[in-house]
Amino acid sequence: MSSNPFTSGPARHFIDGEWAATGPVRESRNPATDEVLGTFHDGGSEAANAAIDAADRAFRTSWWRSDREARARALWELSLVLERNLDRIATAITLENGKPLREAQFELSIAAPKLRYFAGLALTDLGTAAETAGGMSMLLREPVGVAGVIVPWNSPGVLTIRSLAPALAAGCTVAVKMPAQTALTNALVAEVFAQVESLPAGVVNFFTESGDEGAKEIVANRAVGVISYTGSSAVGARIMAAAAPQLKRVSLELGGKTPMIVFDDADLDAVVPTLRAAVTTFAGQFCMTGSRVLAHEAIAGELRDRLAAALASVKLGPGIDPASEMGPLIDHASVDRVDRLVTGNEAEVILRGGPVDGPGAFYRPSLVGVTDLQSPLIQQELFGPVATFETFRDEDEAVRRANATDYGLSASLWTADGGRSLRMSRAIEAGTVWTNAWAQIFDQFEEGGYKHSGVGRLNGPGGLAEFQEVKHVYRAAV
């Protein structure tokens, strides 16, 4: 595996099948060392408009929207090319994003199967037909048109594919806004698409930007029929408002405050390692991070002590080091933001982690006890390796506390009682509820959020439907 996976020269955008050097050149840094990794062209509205124009042209003039068998072949070929380049792109993610290499490899390992799943849906997604009064009716599923995809920096590989795969399977063409924090990695992802000869020029277009001019253009441009965004709830709300005048379709997977609810009959030997991972995976920069631990009062003391010890033992270091269990945050500004939230709000300090001296944006895991449900530590997405610790007496209080935020992306229950699992799963306001598990996502089952955690769904047949229109066609009998 090469120690430097990046291409020489500034990373460029990939638009209409060509590499474009649009925008000023900026530096990309390794968040573990603060060293410059390379440079990239920082696009904006000019790059966005070029990407949208290319996607619109390809949608209207190529065979992509009408040949589902060819779409399935292209998606399958994409999956194979991605797997051939997995180690190189994973190394790039580790260097530029900071996460441990095994986490970057895992992120990409679940991306190729998504492409194959949606290749299958491209072939098997069917309309319906029936005899109706005086003739025949058909329901046809057609692509919306140009899809605008806005990708976050925390998992740029899989979250790009998670939106692109259903959009392409549906027959849409795509303009993708990639994050500047992973600019060099973005170019490698684009290289994968450039290698697929069965993908017509302009069907997929990538540009990178550090600001939001290009993203705003994607939302505002009338040629874009649907927006797929993954990111914060605040930005998602602004996207929804900006899309409203056009009645443009939006699919938004937004923030989360996943409650990890542990009952007194739970197996703590299984619970503690999972909670440790839930707080520290991707350094807590994950919409499904287990940022709230809710413990039954009968086992709260033991769980608290064991979890604090487990989090204190986490080994920090550069993600490229196999011994590192958690990498840095994405930048020093994130370290400062997380630390202000932890130190600026009233809470019982169970484990004081915090910033680490020296190069790199490292932050040790923290665990804080909170009783006030209105605390910003409960109500705000922290996006770092910090968990709150709460206690409850019974199921009703657990549900009340779990549902006390505007977020509703996911929740995790730990209990041996099957009936309780079903009762709690029904009562919790979240798009995904796991029992005796965490972060289990499957391509064939939809995921998404309740309340401020999102609109629409990704994965599964519902993920495909986000990019489709349904048309009723009637033909009178003659």
Side-chain angles (χ1 to χ4, degrees):
M1 185 187 305
S2 171
S3 59
N4 181 7
F6 306 117
T7 54
S8 61
R12 296 172 293 173
H13 319 292
F14 183 70
I15 298 173
D16 206 14
E18 303 289 341
W19 295 100
T22 305
V25 174
R26 306 195 191 281
E27 294 178 338
S28 178
R29 292 181 179 271
N30 184 334
T33 65
D34 297 330
E35 296 173 340
V36 174
L37 292 167
T39 58
F40 66 96
H41 287 279
D42 190 356
S45 57
E46 181 182 356
N49 280 312
I52 294 166
D53 289 347
D56 186 46
R57 206 161 42 246
F59 184 75
R60 299 184 186 283
T61 63
S62 77
W63 48 261
W64 183 257
R65 64 190 292 185
S66 59
D67 192 336
R68 65 171 61 198
E69 291 185 356
R71 295 200 300 271
R73 286 195 298 271
L75 285 165
W76 196 274
E77 186 179 347
L78 272 170
S79 76
L80 299 179
V81 176
L82 180 60
E83 286 179 331
R84 288 199 294 269
N85 288 272
L86 188 149
D87 284 341
R88 184 184 180 202
I89 299 175
T91 301
I93 291 174
T94 292
L95 292 173
E96 200 169 25
N97 166 285
K99 66 181 61 173
L101 182 58
R102 64 183 174 279
E103 292 183 0
Q105 290 170 331
F106 170 76
E107 172 190 335
L108 290 171
S109 74
I110 61 175
K114 288 185 186 299
L115 290 163
R116 288 193 279 270
Y117 172 78
F118 281 103
L121 278 193
L123 292 175
T124 58
D125 180 60
L126 304 174
T128 57
E131 293 181 358
T132 49
M136 175 72 71
S137 284
M138 295 179 289
L139 282 181
L140 306 178
R141 293 187 175 91
E142 298 181 340
V144 170
V146 176
V149 174
I150 303 174
V151 180
W153 51 259
N154 59 326
S155 294
V158 70
L159 296 184
T160 298
I161 299 301
R162 188 179 64 170
S163 291
L164 271 178
L168 295 177
C172 292
T173 56
V174 191
V176 189
K177 186 270 192 189
M178 298 292 281
Q181 292 91 335
T182 58
L184 309 183
T185 302
N186 303 345
L188 298 185
V189 173
E191 277 187 25
V192 168
F193 286 79
Q195 292 176 39
V196 178
E197 295 180 358
S198 57
L199 199 63
V203 168
V204 182
N205 308 274
F206 293 91
F207 72 95
T208 292
E209 71 168 353
S210 60
D212 60 3
E213 288 183 2
K216 287 179 177 177
E217 185 61 38
I218 284 178
V219 176
N221 196 301
R222 291 185 177 275
V224 179
V226 56
I227 301 295
S228 181
Y229 167 77
T230 303
S232 74
S233 298
V235 174
R238 293 199 292 271
I239 288 173
M240 198 169 186
Q246 295 181 41
L247 301 179
K248 184 176 296 188
R249 186 180 302 187
V250 295
S251 176
L252 310 172
E253 192 193 67
L254 307 176
K257 287 291 290 185
T258 300
M260 310 287 287
I261 306 168
V262 185
F263 283 90
D264 55 348
D265 61 345
D267 177 4
L268 295 189
D269 289 340
V271 170
V272 172
T274 305
L275 294 187
R276 183 183 191 261
V279 176
T280 60
T281 295
F282 304 163
Q285 300 169 120
F286 179 33
C287 57
M288 292 179 173
T289 291
S291 56
R292 296 181 63 198
V293 178
L294 280 63
H296 188 275
E297 59 186 11
I299 49 90
E302 180 183 358
L303 179 58
R304 164 186 161 140
D305 292 345
R306 292 179 62 173
L307 179 57
L311 291 173
S313 71
V314 172
K315 180 176 175 54
L316 274 63
I320 207 69
D321 182 349
S324 298
E325 295 181 295
M326 191 179 84
L329 300 190
I330 191 65
D331 53 32
H332 289 278
S334 293
V335 170
D336 294 341
R337 176 187 55 79
V338 172
D339 203 49
R340 283 196 304 270
L341 282 167
V342 173
T343 59
N345 291 280
E346 185 175 343
E348 174 197 4
V349 178
I350 300 171
L351 174 66
R352 174 64 171 118
V356 177
D357 292 335
F362 291 97
Y363 194 93
R364 295 192 182 281
S366 296
L367 182 65
V368 293
V370 181
T371 58
D372 179 8
L373 287 173
Q374 299 310 309
S375 168
L377 296 171
I378 297 290
Q379 293 297 329
Q380 295 182 24
E381 187 177 35
L382 303 180
F383 230 59
V386 178
T388 56
F389 193 88
E390 308 166 54
T391 61
F392 63 88
R393 293 182 302 276
D394 53 29
E395 290 182 22
D396 289 343
E397 186 178 8
V399 169
R400 179 176 65 83
R401 298 194 76 91
N403 290 341
T405 75
D406 287 331
Y407 295 103
L409 187 60
S410 58
S412 175
L413 306 171
W414 293 83
T415 180
D417 186 329
R420 173 186 287 152
S421 169
L422 292 175
R423 289 191 301 272
M424 293 289 293
S425 295
R426 294 293 300 272
I428 291 173
E429 298 165 350
T432 298
V433 182
W434 304 285
T435 296
N436 300 329
W438 168 75
Q440 298 298 303
I441 301 297
F442 303 97
D443 295 339
Q444 65 268 43
F445 287 95
E446 287 80 356
E447 64 169 304
Y450 283 27
K451 301 188 290 187
H452 289 194
S453 285
V455 175
R457 289 296 181 265
L458 289 161
N459 292 335
L464 184 70
E466 296 291 330
F467 299 94
Q468 293 176 316
E469 296 283 11
V470 177
K471 178 182 289 182
H472 175 216
V473 175
Y474 173 80
R475 179 174 180 176
V478 293

